[in-house]
C-alpha cells in the first residue's frame, strides 16, 4: 500500500477547502481564501522539504511561516477598528526580514527560528487581547454571531501561541537531539494547528456583513471619515455624561425604529444609523451597562422574544426568527443568559402563573 505523508493529506484537504471558498466568491471570504491557500502551500512545502530535502524548500518554508500570523491578523483585523496606514505596512516587515535572512544564508547568518517563535507569540497575544476587549468589537460582524466570531478569534490566538511552542520544541530538538524528532514535531504541528487556524478564519469571515443599506448610507454619508477623525479624541474614555447621552440615543433608536430586529445588524450599521463612531458606541455601552454592545442588542431581542412567547402561539423557531436571531443555538444561549430559563420553560412557567392567578 502506498503511504502518503501526513502533511500532503492535510494540504489536500486545505486545498479543497480553498477551492470551495473560491467558488463561493463572497465578499467576506476573500481573505479567508488567501489564508487557507497559504496554509495549504505551507503544509505542502513542509512535506516536500522532509521528503526530498531540496534546498529551495528549506528556503521557502520560513518565509511562508512568517506570512501566516500576519495574514491571520489581517483576516481578523479587516472588519475591526481601522489602524493607521503606516501600522498596516509595518506588518509586512517580518516576512521581508525573514526572506532576506533565508536567501542571504550563509553569508548573512540570522537566527530565523527564534524570530519566528517570537513573531507567533506577538500575534497570538495580540489576537487574544483583541478578543478579550469589549471596546474593540469587529464592526461588521452580525451581533447574533458576535460570540462565535470572538471565539474564533480567540482560538486563532491560542493556535498561534501553541505554534510558537512547537517552533521552540523544534529548535530544542536540533540543539539536544540533532533534529531526530523534527519530522514528527512538524507533522503533528501542521496537521493539527493549521487546519484549526484555517477553520477559525473561515468561521469568522462567515459572520461578516459587508453590504450596507442605502438608508444607512444616506443617514450618515461621512461616518467613515468621522470615525477616523474622532478615534484619537475618544481613544481612552468617555465622560459619564457623554456615555449616558450615547446610550440614551441608542435606546431611542431601538424604541422608534426597532433596529435590533434586523438579523444582519452590525456595529458598523449601528454607527451609521446613529451617526456616531463605532468605538464610541462600544465604549459608552460598556461603561454604562458593564456589558458589550452585542449583549445589550441581544437583550433587546430577548425582550421581544419574551413578549412573543407570552402573547402568541408561535413556535420557538418562529419566535427567534421574529426577534432578530438567526440560529436557535444562539437564541437559546442568550435567552438562558438573560432569564436563566429556556424559552419553552419560560412559556410554561408563565402559563402556570396565569392559571394559578385568581380571576
Amino acid at each position: 500500500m502506498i503511504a502518503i505523508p501526513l502533511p500532503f493529506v492535510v494540504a489536500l484537504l486545505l486545498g479543497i477547502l480553498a477551492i470551495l471558498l473560491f467558488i463561493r466568491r463572497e465578499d467576506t471570504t476573500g481573505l479567508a481564501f488567501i489564508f487557507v491557500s497559504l496554509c495549504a502551500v505551507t503544509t505542502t512545502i513542509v512535506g516536500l522539504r522532509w521528503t526530498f530535502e531540496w534546498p529551495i524548500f528549506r528556503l521557502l518554508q520560513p518565509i511562508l511561516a512568517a506570512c501566516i500570523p500576519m495574514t491571520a491578523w489581517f483576516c481578523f483585523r479587516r472588519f475591526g477598528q481601522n489602524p493607521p496606514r503606516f501600522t498596516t505596512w509595518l506588518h509586512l516587515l517580518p516576512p521581508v526580514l525573514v526572506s532576506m535572512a533565508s536567501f542571504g544564508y550563509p553569508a548573512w547568518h540570522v537566527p530565523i527560528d527564534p524570530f519566528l517563535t517570537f513573531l507567533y507569540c506577538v500575534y497570538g497575544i495580540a489576537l487574544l487581547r483583541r478578543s478579550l476587549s469589549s471596546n474593540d468589537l469587529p464592526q461588521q460582524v452580525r451581533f447574533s454571531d458576535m460570540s462565535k466570531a470572538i471565539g474564533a478569534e480567540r482560538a486563532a490566538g491560542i493556535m498561534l501561541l501553541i505554534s510558537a511552542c512547537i517552533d521552540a520544541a523544534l529548535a530544542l530538538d536540533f540543539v539536544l537531539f540533532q533534529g531526530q524528532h523534527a519530522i514528527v514535531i512538524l507533522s503533528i504541528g501542521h496537521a493539527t494547528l493549521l487546519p484549526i487556524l484555517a477553520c477559525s478564519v473561515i468561521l469568522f469571515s462567515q459572520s461578516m456583513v459587508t453590504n450596507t443599506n442605502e438608508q444607512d448610507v444616506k443617514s450618515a454619508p461621512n461616518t467613515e471619515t468621522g470615525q477616523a477623525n474622532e478615534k484619537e479624541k475618544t481613544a481612552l474614555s468617555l465622560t459619564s455624561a457623554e456615555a449616558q447621552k450615547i446610550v440614551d440615543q441608542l435606546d431611542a433608536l431601538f424604541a422608534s425604529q426597532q433596529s435590533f430586529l434586523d438579523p444582519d445588524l452590525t456595529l458598523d450599521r449601528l454607527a451609521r444609523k446613529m451617526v456616531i463612531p463605532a468605538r464610541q458606541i462600544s465604549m459608552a455601552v460598556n461603561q454604562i451597562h458593564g456589558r458589550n454592545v452585542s449583549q445589550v442588542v441581544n437583550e433587546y431581542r430577548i425582550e421581544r422574544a419574551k413578549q412573543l412567547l407570552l402573547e402568541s402561539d408561535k413556535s420557538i423557531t418562529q419566535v427567534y426568527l421574529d426577534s432578530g436571531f438567526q440560529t436557535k443555538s444562539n437564541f437559546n444561549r442568550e435567552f438562558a443568559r438573560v432569564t436563566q430559563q429556556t424559552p419553552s420553560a419560560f412559556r410554561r412557567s408563565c402559563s402556570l402563573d396565569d392559571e394559578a392567578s385568581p380571576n
Side-chain angles (χ1 to χ4, degrees):
M1 175 180 288
I2 299 176
I4 302 177
L6 183 59
F8 293 122
V9 177
V10 176
L12 177 62
L13 296 176
L14 289 172
I16 294 173
L17 190 57
I19 292 173
L20 293 176
L21 289 173
F22 179 77
I23 292 174
R24 293 181 63 179
R25 295 186 182 182
E26 296 180 0
D27 293 338
T28 59
T29 57
L31 278 176
F33 164 74
I34 295 175
F35 182 77
V36 175
S37 301
L38 176 62
C39 290
V41 173
T42 302
T43 309
T44 302
I45 293 297
V46 170
L48 291 173
R49 174 184 176 181
W50 296 102
T51 302
F52 300 103
E53 297 186 358
W54 292 354
I56 185 63
F57 299 137
R58 188 174 300 177
L59 293 175
L60 291 177
Q61 182 185 335
I63 298 174
L64 294 175
C67 293
I68 286 177
M70 174 202 63
T71 310
W73 170 260
F74 278 114
C75 287
F76 289 102
R77 191 67 182 180
R78 176 187 174 191
F79 297 102
Q81 309 291 338
N82 295 324
R85 184 167 298 180
F86 75 91
T87 304
T88 300
W89 286 105
L90 285 178
H91 289 279
L92 299 176
L93 186 59
V96 172
L97 293 177
V98 172
S99 300
M100 295 171 59
S102 184
F103 283 98
Y105 183 85
W108 186 30
H109 185 69
V110 178
I112 296 179
D113 290 335
F115 179 74
L116 288 176
T117 302
F118 173 76
L119 190 64
Y120 275 70
C121 285
V122 169
Y123 278 101
I125 293 173
L127 286 176
L128 281 177
R129 288 187 60 185
R130 185 175 182 273
S131 68
L132 295 173
S133 174
S134 58
N135 290 330
D136 195 17
L137 298 178
Q139 293 185 20
Q140 295 185 11
V141 170
R142 300 181 186 90
F143 284 125
S144 57
D145 293 332
M146 188 67 72
S147 59
K148 179 176 66 175
I150 292 176
E153 185 176 21
R154 195 166 300 164
I158 293 173
M159 290 302 103
L160 289 179
L161 291 176
I162 295 177
S163 181
C165 294
I166 291 177
D167 289 339
L170 190 63
L172 288 176
D173 181 67
F174 275 99
V175 172
L176 301 177
F177 305 102
Q178 291 74 48
Q180 296 179 8
H181 311 94
I183 297 179
V184 176
I185 295 174
L186 280 174
S187 297
I188 294 176
H190 286 82
T192 56
L193 297 181
L194 288 185
I196 295 176
L197 192 56
C199 290
S200 298
V201 170
I202 293 172
L203 184 64
F204 188 87
S205 65
Q206 290 179 338
S207 303
M208 301 295 178
V209 177
T210 56
N211 59 312
T212 306
N213 291 338
E214 183 178 356
Q215 180 181 357
D216 296 341
V217 176
K218 289 181 179 179
S219 63
N222 296 318
T223 50
E224 292 182 355
T225 304
Q227 289 180 26
N229 294 334
E230 292 293 333
K231 277 181 64 178
E232 297 296 331
K233 299 178 183 179
T234 60
L236 298 177
S237 63
L238 296 170
T239 65
S240 299
E242 291 172 338
Q244 188 62 57
K245 182 179 179 180
I246 293 174
V247 170
D248 291 342
Q249 187 174 341
L250 177 65
D251 293 337
L253 174 68
F254 284 168
S256 61
Q257 299 184 18
Q258 296 185 331
S259 303
F260 59 89
L261 296 179
D262 178 9
D264 288 330
L265 184 64
T266 64
L267 185 56
D268 179 67
R269 288 187 173 184
L270 196 58
R272 291 174 179 272
K273 289 177 180 294
M274 297 177 62
V275 201
I276 296 176
R279 187 174 180 83
Q280 288 191 30
I281 298 175
S282 293
M283 295 175 64
V285 170
N286 186 61
Q287 189 170 330
I288 298 299
H289 293 293
R291 300 180 297 281
N292 64 46
V293 64
S294 175
Q295 293 174 313
V296 171
V297 169
N298 284 334
E299 287 166 10
Y300 273 92
R301 292 170 172 171
I302 294 302
E303 289 301 317
R304 169 54 62 90
K306 289 166 62 177
Q307 182 182 0
L308 293 176
L309 288 170
L310 293 176
E311 300 177 358
S312 71
D313 295 328
K314 293 181 178 181
S315 65
I316 301 296
T317 299
Q318 193 59 49
V319 166
Y320 79 71
L321 290 176
D322 291 346
S323 301
F325 289 96
Q326 290 187 316
T327 63
K328 188 174 183 178
S329 59
N330 187 44
F331 171 64
N332 288 336
R333 182 179 63 252
E334 289 298 303
F335 198 95
R337 179 180 67 86
V338 175
T339 67
Q340 287 75 51
Q341 289 181 297
T342 64
S344 55
F346 175 82
R347 173 175 270 174
R348 286 196 303 268
S349 64
C350 291
S351 298
L352 293 175
D353 290 342
D354 291 339
E355 292 176 359
S357 62
N359 294 329

